[in-house]
Amino acid sequence: MDEVVLLDTWGSMFGMRAWIALEEKGVKYERKEEDLSKKSPLLLQMNPIHKKIPVLIHNGKPISESAIIVQYIDEVWNHNPPFMPSDPYERAQARFWVDYIDAKVYPTWNKMWLSEGEEHEAGKKELISIFKQLEETLGDKPFYGNEMFGFVDIALIPFYSWFYTFETYGNFEMEAECPKLVAWAKRCMQRETVSTILPNEKEVYNAVVEMKKNIET
Amino acid sequence: MDEVVLLDTWGSMFGMRAWIALEEKGVKYERKEEDLSKKSPLLLQMNPIHKKIPVLIHNGKPISESAIIVQYIDEVWNHNPPFMPSDPYERAQARFWVDYIDAKVYPTWNKMWLSEGEEHEAGKKELISIFKQLEETLGDKPFYGNEMFGFVDIALIPFYSWFYTFETYGNFEMEAECPKLVAWAKRCMQRETVSTILPNEKEVYNAVVEMKKNIET
């Protein structure tokens, strides 16, 4: 019997990836919420290098970094539908776009929400252009994994619960900027694995407002 | 018949990864050197998102990002010895360490060589601690892939040609700081795929000195 523990924290896009992946594969797991202001000895022991969530602990052995965890889950529970395309080229493309999301979305949002004036405007423009690129990449496919809810879908959909926060801090509308991307997100939300895991967008926003207060004081 | 083209540039650690991977698999390829100050229309067309080398073009289709290229080569030319461990957990660990190298080594070196005073010292200390961590990860294994020259080995060995540059700018000795890591690098250099590809360390240093002059003027 496999023992599977997910160290996570509320509202984390990266934690949600691992969580959704476990649900998609129908894995039995225990999810432990970490308080990142007071990291548990278990987290520090399981991810001594980065000291970050998510960490998947499978029969006592830790795996860190959300994109790596999702691939691991796909490879271990491989009797269920795969997240990865079977073609190596498609697989490389999926990895490319997850890498793109990791390199671009959160860092650009971070630049935007913590800055004002010109830097804020530049960050906002960049964030919109990143989502437009991701929308273009999706094209007319129902999911990034085509008919399949796959690796890129799992990596990107958690950000949907942050769209309202991005919009409110950036003063723009995702629906107006990227209608096809929003339609894709709504399509993903029809999956119970996604809709039950993604937190309420207003709650995310409120938490971010609180976080900013704490940074500023 | 496969048509394989590698867009590369002289001295790039990231380009070397793809190049070594092709040699290790015995793939027939053409390697084109890019002048990064004047990128070719082909590079801009093949990697419009990042506009960076290396790009592997396989039968007209581009793959970007060195770690993704190495995995792609491993998956496509899979009749030759693999770069990736067969066990999913080992595979996740290999991906973790390549991600660590990507996140840490070049950015920290970049911080060090372009700064002075305290920032330079902090960068130097950090760079040494990163290599010490990588040495600890290697442990007593001959290669990161154990008996196998694998994914992490391919990702890290190109930096060996930059050690002299790191040492000279940082005023430290890799051999004194990380003797086991240097021994590993020398073990890798016994492979013709590595020794014929890695550039001369003094030439790398001279190129970096020239680069800095160009930045400063």
Side-chain angles (χ1 to χ4, degrees):
Chain A
M1 181 64 195
D2 282 318
E3 193 195 38
V4 178
V5 177
L6 177 63
L7 305 185
D8 196 359
T9 198
W10 185 88
S12 161
M13 302 90 157
F14 304 105
M16 280 182 241
R17 290 174 170 179
W19 193 4
I20 292 170
L22 289 169
E23 282 290 333
E24 281 285 332
K25 292 283 189 176
V27 177
K28 276 198 123 182
Y29 60 89
E30 181 191 359
R31 180 173 166 272
K32 292 188 181 170
E33 280 206 4
E34 287 281 329
D35 173 359
L36 294 185
S37 68
K38 202 184 145 193
K39 296 177 181 175
S40 75
L42 183 64
L43 175 59
L44 299 178
Q45 182 200 335
M46 290 292 160
N47 190 1
I49 301 291
H50 300 304
K51 304 173 180 66
K52 288 192 303 190
I53 63 94
V55 180
L56 186 78
I57 312 172
H58 185 195
N59 295 330
K61 294 199 290 186
I63 302 108
S64 303
E65 297 296 299
S66 64
I68 295 172
I69 293 172
V70 173
Q71 286 179 85
Y72 176 79
I73 292 170
D74 196 31
E75 294 175 1
V76 169
W77 287 276
N78 58 5
H79 49 280
N80 292 66
F83 303 148
M84 277 290 181
S86 59
D87 175 66
Y89 186 76
E90 296 299 319
R91 216 150 48 224
Q93 293 311 104
R95 289 191 179 119
F96 178 87
W97 288 112
V98 172
D99 182 80
Y100 177 87
I101 294 164
D102 283 349
K104 301 282 184 178
V105 182
Y106 194 81
T108 305
W109 148 251
N110 230 0
K111 190 165 87 180
M112 184 186 95
W113 85 295
L114 294 173
S115 64
E116 289 175 11
E118 269 184 46
E119 205 184 328
H120 178 85
E121 279 306 303
K124 167 188 166 173
K125 265 180 86 169
E126 202 184 326
L127 192 62
I128 293 172
S129 79
I130 291 162
F131 284 121
K132 281 187 188 289
Q133 174 61 60
L134 288 166
E135 184 178 53
E136 194 189 313
T137 301
L138 176 67
D140 290 320
K141 301 194 295 290
F143 295 109
Y144 285 90
N146 225 323
E147 296 303 316
M148 179 173 104
F149 179 76
F151 187 42
V152 182
D153 298 288
I154 293 171
L156 186 57
I157 193 60
F159 290 91
Y160 181 53
S161 58
W162 285 66
F163 279 11
Y164 177 75
T165 304
F166 298 162
E167 290 171 320
T168 311
Y169 273 96
N171 193 27
F172 65 92
E173 276 187 38
M174 281 296 286
E175 182 97 49
E177 301 287 350
C178 303
K180 283 184 176 181
L181 194 71
V182 172
W184 160 84
K186 288 180 178 164
R187 215 171 294 133
C188 295
M189 285 292 272
Q190 289 169 14
R191 301 179 85 83
E192 220 182 285
T193 54
V194 175
S195 62
T196 56
I197 286 174
L198 261 59
N200 178 285
E201 57 182 20
K202 301 275 162 61
E203 283 179 37
V204 170
Y205 175 73
N206 290 338
V208 170
V209 169
E210 281 307 308
M211 223 188 301
K212 195 160 186 190
K213 274 190 208 155
N214 289 333
I215 291 172
E216 285 166 348
T217 54
Chain B
M1 180 63 196
D2 281 317
E3 194 195 38
V4 179
V5 177
L6 178 63
L7 305 186
D8 196 0
T9 198
W10 184 88
S12 160
M13 304 89 158
F14 304 104
M16 279 182 241
R17 289 173 171 179
W19 193 5
I20 291 170
L22 288 170
E23 282 290 332
E24 282 284 331
K25 292 282 188 174
V27 178
K28 276 198 126 182
Y29 60 89
E30 182 191 356
R31 181 174 164 273
K32 291 187 181 172
E33 281 207 3
E34 287 282 329
D35 173 359
L36 294 186
S37 66
K38 201 184 144 192
K39 296 176 183 176
S40 75
L42 183 65
L43 175 58
L44 299 178
Q45 183 201 336
M46 290 292 158
N47 190 359
I49 302 292
H50 299 306
K51 304 174 180 66
K52 289 192 304 189
I53 65 95
V55 180
L56 186 77
I57 311 172
H58 185 197
N59 297 330
K61 293 197 292 186
I63 302 108
S64 302
E65 296 296 298
S66 65
I68 295 172
I69 293 172
V70 173
Q71 286 179 84
Y72 177 78
I73 292 170
D74 196 30
E75 294 174 1
V76 170
W77 287 276
N78 59 5
H79 49 280
N80 292 66
F83 302 148
M84 276 290 181
S86 59
D87 175 66
Y89 186 77
E90 296 299 319
R91 216 148 49 222
Q93 292 311 102
R95 290 191 180 119
F96 178 87
W97 289 110
V98 171
D99 182 79
Y100 177 86
I101 294 164
D102 282 350
K104 301 282 185 179
V105 182
Y106 194 82
T108 305
W109 148 250
N110 230 1
K111 189 164 90 180
M112 183 186 97
W113 85 293
L114 294 173
S115 63
E116 287 176 12
E118 268 182 48
E119 204 185 326
H120 178 86
E121 278 308 304
K124 166 188 167 173
K125 264 180 88 170
E126 202 184 328
L127 192 63
I128 293 171
S129 80
I130 290 162
F131 283 122
K132 281 187 187 292
Q133 175 60 60
L134 288 167
E135 184 178 51
E136 195 189 313
T137 302
L138 177 67
D140 290 319
K141 300 192 296 289
F143 295 108
Y144 285 89
N146 227 324
E147 297 302 318
M148 178 174 103
F149 179 77
F151 187 43
V152 182
D153 298 289
I154 292 171
L156 186 58
I157 192 59
F159 290 90
Y160 181 52
S161 58
W162 284 67
F163 279 11
Y164 177 76
T165 303
F166 298 162
E167 290 172 320
T168 310
Y169 273 95
N171 193 27
F172 64 91
E173 277 188 35
M174 282 295 287
E175 182 98 49
E177 300 287 349
C178 303
K180 284 184 176 180
L181 193 71
V182 172
W184 160 84
K186 289 181 176 163
R187 216 171 294 131
C188 295
M189 284 292 272
Q190 289 169 13
R191 301 178 86 82
E192 221 182 281
T193 55
V194 175
S195 62
T196 56
I197 285 175
L198 262 59
N200 178 286
E201 59 182 19
K202 301 276 163 58
E203 284 179 37
V204 170
Y205 176 72
N206 290 338
V208 170
V209 169
E210 282 305 309
M211 223 188 301
K212 196 162 184 189
K213 273 189 209 155
N214 289 334
I215 292 172
E216 286 167 347
T217 55

